[in-house]
Amino acid sequence: MQRNQQQHSAQHAIMRPPFVDRNTGIMYQCNDAEVQGWLTKQSEWLKDWRRRYFLLQGSKLFFCKNEWSPPHGMIDLSTCTTVKSADLKSRKINSFEVSTPEMTYLLYADCEKEKDDWIGCVGRAIVRTSATYLDKKDEE
């Protein structure tokens, strides 16, 4: 898991193609990820586990087949209800779930520290986009 620290390596010089939401046609640029790294995600239909490169940018969590490919999926964290540990549910160590009203995504990290870091970052992104948090900011 890497936090964006304005690195100028060759890897970061490559511009990733945007994610295009199939339902809305909206294009999302994904080149300024706050946090990025490898996680393994349970596939939606076959329920097998696939290693994916994740990008957390604002209220969106994108996933790609590798570090340079365009994202092929997105979790809108503004609709998420919870992020929590899920070792028992997934039967995988270092796993966690990200839940929306429509779906629960199961993911696991390579180690416990990365799992805890991802849960913290995703949790903060959920709070930042929640209506309660936004209403309190407006009152200040």
Side-chain angles (χ1 to χ4, degrees):
M1 178 176 176
Q2 301 172 341
R3 294 180 194 265
N4 190 355
Q5 298 171 337
Q6 298 298 329
Q7 298 172 346
H8 291 94
S9 67
Q11 173 185 344
H12 289 84
I14 296 172
M15 296 297 284
R16 180 179 287 105
F19 172 74
V20 180
D21 188 315
R22 288 181 291 228
N23 297 324
T24 64
I26 296 172
M27 263 199 304
Y28 295 92
Q29 295 299 325
C30 316
N31 290 308
D32 294 320
E34 299 153 35
V35 179
Q36 56 189 317
W38 289 100
L39 292 168
T40 302
K41 180 178 104 39
Q42 188 176 55
S43 68
E44 189 174 340
W45 304 109
L46 299 176
K47 302 299 181 196
D48 57 342
W49 292 91
R50 297 179 182 160
R51 192 153 170 85
R52 297 291 183 239
Y53 197 76
F54 279 78
L55 309 159
L56 175 60
Q57 185 169 317
S59 65
K60 309 291 188 256
L61 183 60
F62 300 98
F63 46 95
C64 320
K65 290 189 178 180
N66 61 50
E67 291 124 311
W68 304 283
S69 65
H72 63 275
M74 176 186 77
I75 303 170
D76 185 353
L77 300 177
S78 68
T79 67
C80 282
T81 53
T82 187
V83 57
K84 63 185 179 182
S85 185
D87 289 4
L88 291 174
K89 187 175 193 174
S90 69
R91 299 183 183 177
K92 301 280 185 187
I93 60 168
N94 305 319
S95 68
F96 61 99
E97 66 181 63
V98 178
S99 299
T100 69
E102 297 82 35
M103 184 164 184
T104 296
Y105 299 87
L106 291 173
L107 310 151
Y108 70 84
D110 293 337
C111 65
E112 187 175 6
K113 181 186 180 330
E114 285 188 12
K115 173 187 118 169
D116 292 342
D117 288 348
W118 275 107
I119 288 174
C121 291
V122 169
R124 283 188 292 279
I126 291 169
V127 169
R128 278 195 313 260
T129 61
S130 75
T132 305
Y133 178 79
L134 294 173
D135 289 346
K136 285 184 180 178
K137 276 194 84 168
D138 290 342
E139 291 171 6
E140 292 176 358

